Amino acid sequence: MKLYEKLVSDIEQLVTKGVLLPGERIPSVRQTSQQHKLSITTVLRAYVKLESMGVIESRPQSGYFVRPRADGDAQPADLCMQASQPSTVPAEVHVSRLVLSTLRSIGLHDAIPLGSPYPDPSLFPWERINQYAGAVARRNREWNMTDDLPPGNPQLIREIARRYMENGLAVDPDEIIVTVGATEAINLCLQAVARPGDTIAVESPTFYAMLMAVERLGMKVVEISTDPYDGISIEALADIMARQPIAAVMVMPNFQNPLGFQMSDQRKRALYQLLEQHDVPAIENGVYNELYYGDAHPSSLKSYDRKGLVLHCSSFSKSLSSAQRVGWALAGRYRGKVEELKFLNTLATSSFPQLAIAEYLQNDGYEQHLRRTRKAYAQQARIMAAAVLRFFPAGTKVSQPQGGYVLWVELPGNVDSMQLYRRALECKITVGPGRMFSVSQAYKHCIRLNYSYPWSVEVEQAIILLGKLITEFL
């Protein structure tokens, strides 16, 4: 097979399997030439062939795009993930021990961190933030503890409010409470709106940090059917809320971990209207909102909030710096309660990391840093998905993340992801077993993979080996 024919076949397969979506821009001729080590002439010949086949189309001054499907032409059903169908019976949560043991395994020497929940730290501007931290420490040789008390450092709060304004959401700075990462924000907000024994509605599957917050506070969860492309089923949630008391709803409308979807504005608005109708608060996890792949920053559920029902939580840990552990909550009508709980739980968040990040936001190129990060993640998402579909057994399905840096993989039904996790660990590869993302066994045949690390020979070999290990369980 000639080189250009091989490239044609590879791209056609990515489109067929839904890795490259209709209307999505594909890498430029120059990028493809560099990535595949092919001549410009070879890539152009392949693109012309793909265009003649109706797979892609060129747009003047814009590049090449996957050609939109004709009406009624859909992705093959056997390649699509289906909406989850969880039990509607409230259940106790016991995931913390599994999560802790899994996270500890990530630190094993030389292990390929495909199971890590953390982004590749090499993309973070560590040096600049550390410089600001040092400058802050030198300027403030004597520090008054009262300067650290809630709600947080005024300079950082102003920068957070400014960032929301730049992304289209006017936020009252007085509503912002700085926390030790988004995890603390989620815990405080949940504690403010619900009591031990209450039932909390969550997506299915859901991010395990949400489940751990529920477990910590002695509450129960009811999992709601969630579509891997559209998000939580508003209809299923409405049915649950009509039949049983729900103290709060916990959601990730944008780039949900682990599925990666982005809810449409229409569905976010409908979700808020349902919450308002029942006067039920929502805890929105927005830690990945800055890591979008599209042309514009996504709206948040908070942007539709008219009565202070949405408690929006976020942090800089996924987008700027994980070491400083700086997060915040926009707590709506529960602002006073969350501030009180912050004081009672951890007293304060240190001002040194707050000021270091505030000065970076004020003086350096945060948006430029984000553009580089988004571009890298979007590219690596496609590569990871293509590799999984190529090297994993037939019947494997992958999510189509619209942001963030994790890929949800559905393995053939008889594969136990916990057995795969242990076998992979022996080979110094980590994966995120599906059992961490639910209180049931519904996702025991699923894994979550982290694609934030640059694609390399080592990562590719790890994917190939995982595919072989999975085959052993079939």
Side-chain angles (χ1 to χ4, degrees), residues 17 31 72 103 124 145 175 180 192 207 215-216 222 238 285 297 346 370 385 397-398 400 422 443 466 468:
K17 292 191 173 183
Q31 286 175 316
L103 294 184
F124 291 156
M145 183 60 193
E175 189 182 350
V180 183
F207 184 33
E215 179 180 356
R216 172 180 174 269
V222 58
N285 187 339
H297 194 284
T346 55
L370 287 172
K397 300 176 184 179
V398 298
Q400 297 176 2
R422 288 188 284 266
Y443 307 106
L466 280 177
K468 294 177 179 178

Side-chain angles (χ1 to χ4, degrees), residues 164 169 171 175 189-190 193 248-253 268-269 271-276 279-286 289 299-313 329-335 338:
Y164 277 104
L169 177 60
V171 169
E175 189 182 350
C189 288
L190 183 59
V193 302
V249 179
M250 301 180 77
V251 290
M252 294 183 72
K268 290 172 187 169
R269 185 179 295 108
L271 174 57
Y272 176 75
Q273 290 171 347
L274 176 64
L275 297 169
E276 186 179 72
D279 198 39
V280 171
I283 298 171
E284 177 185 27
N285 187 339
N289 283 12
S299 68
S300 63
L301 187 64
K302 183 70 175 177
S303 61
Y304 302 99
D305 187 11
R306 297 190 297 268
K307 295 187 175 180
L309 282 172
V310 178
L311 297 86
H312 176 90
C313 304
L330 302 172
R333 68 167 71 162
Y334 304 94
R335 188 246 181 241
V338 170

Side-chain angles (χ1 to χ4, degrees), residues 11-27:
I11 294 177
E12 184 180 19
Q13 185 178 35
L14 293 178
V15 172
T16 300
K17 292 191 173 183
V19 177
L20 294 173
L21 302 176
E24 186 173 25
R25 189 178 188 275
I26 67 173

Side-chain angles (χ1 to χ4, degrees), residues 51 59 291 395:
E51 191 169 13
R59 299 179 188 175
L291 302 178

Side-chain angles (χ1 to χ4, degrees), residues 13-318:
Q13 185 178 35
L14 293 178
V15 172
T16 300
K17 292 191 173 183
V19 177
L20 294 173
L21 302 176
E24 186 173 25
R25 189 178 188 275
I26 67 173
S28 68
V29 172
R30 184 174 299 278
Q31 286 175 316
T32 302
S33 171
Q34 294 171 346
Q35 292 164 2
H36 294 264
K37 294 181 173 55
L38 298 172
S39 70
I40 295 290
T41 302
T42 298
V43 177
L44 277 173
R45 188 175 181 186
Y47 279 21
V48 169
K49 177 64 174 178
L50 287 163
E51 191 169 13
S52 70
M53 294 166 59
V55 177
I56 66 174
E57 61 184 16
S58 61
R59 299 179 188 175
Q61 310 301 318
S62 298
Y64 289 90
F65 293 77
V66 178
R67 186 174 180 180
R69 297 189 183 101
D71 292 342
D73 186 14
Q75 187 177 356
D78 60 345
L79 296 177
C80 292
M81 289 184 170
Q82 302 300 312
S84 60
Q85 299 295 329
S87 168
T88 58
V89 178
E92 295 182 349
V93 183
H94 302 285
V95 299
S96 58
R97 184 173 298 179
L98 172 61
V99 172
L100 178 59
S101 64
T102 303
L103 294 184
R104 280 176 174 165
S105 71
I106 295 168
L108 291 177
H109 185 60
D110 291 335
I112 304 295
L114 300 181
S116 174
Y118 310 115
D120 174 18
S122 68
L123 287 172
F124 291 156
W126 294 106
E127 186 174 347
R128 292 296 293 156
I129 293 177
N130 287 338
Q131 287 173 354
Y132 284 123
V136 167
R138 288 190 295 272
R139 285 200 311 266
N140 301 278
R141 296 184 182 276
E142 294 183 5
W143 200 261
N144 190 334
M145 183 60 193
T146 59
D147 293 331
D148 290 343
L149 293 177
N153 180 266
Q155 184 179 346
L156 177 63
I157 288 175
R158 283 195 301 271
E159 291 301 323
I160 293 173
R162 182 178 291 116
R163 185 65 191 169
Y164 277 104
M165 179 189 67
E166 292 170 353
N167 290 324
L169 177 60
V171 169
D172 183 351
D174 290 338
E175 189 182 350
I176 298 171
I177 299 170
V178 179
T179 61
V180 183
T183 299
E184 184 187 34
I186 291 168
N187 276 273
L188 294 175
C189 288
L190 183 59
Q191 194 174 354
V193 302
R195 300 176 180 178
D198 283 348
T199 298
I200 311 299
V202 300
E203 298 152 326
S204 183
T206 191
F207 184 33
Y208 53 73
M210 318 277 255
L211 295 176
M212 290 171 65
V214 175
E215 179 180 356
R216 172 180 174 269
L217 296 171
M219 301 171 187
K220 298 179 180 180
V221 300
V222 58
E223 298 187 29
I224 308 299
S225 174
T226 301
D227 187 274
Y229 312 105
D230 296 327
I232 191 169
S233 170
I234 299 168
E235 298 75 18
L237 179 59
D239 181 63
I240 292 290
M241 293 173 74
R243 292 190 287 109
Q244 58 183 280
I246 299 296
V249 179
M250 301 180 77
V251 290
M252 294 183 72
N254 295 316
F255 324 129
Q256 190 248 21
N257 186 342
L259 293 173
F261 59 76
Q262 177 184 337
M263 287 183 71
S264 67
D265 290 351
Q266 180 180 1
R267 293 185 63 81
K268 290 172 187 169
R269 185 179 295 108
L271 174 57
Y272 176 75
Q273 290 171 347
L274 176 64
L275 297 169
E276 186 179 72
Q277 176 185 343
H278 291 269
D279 198 39
V280 171
I283 298 171
E284 177 185 27
N285 187 339
V287 293
Y288 301 104
N289 283 12
E290 293 278 22
L291 302 178
Y292 57 90
Y293 301 161
D295 297 327
H297 194 284
S299 68
S300 63
L301 187 64
K302 183 70 175 177
S303 61
Y304 302 99
D305 187 11
R306 297 190 297 268
K307 295 187 175 180
L309 282 172
V310 178
L311 297 86
H312 176 90
C313 304
S314 192
S315 81
F316 293 109
S317 298
K318 303 299 189 289

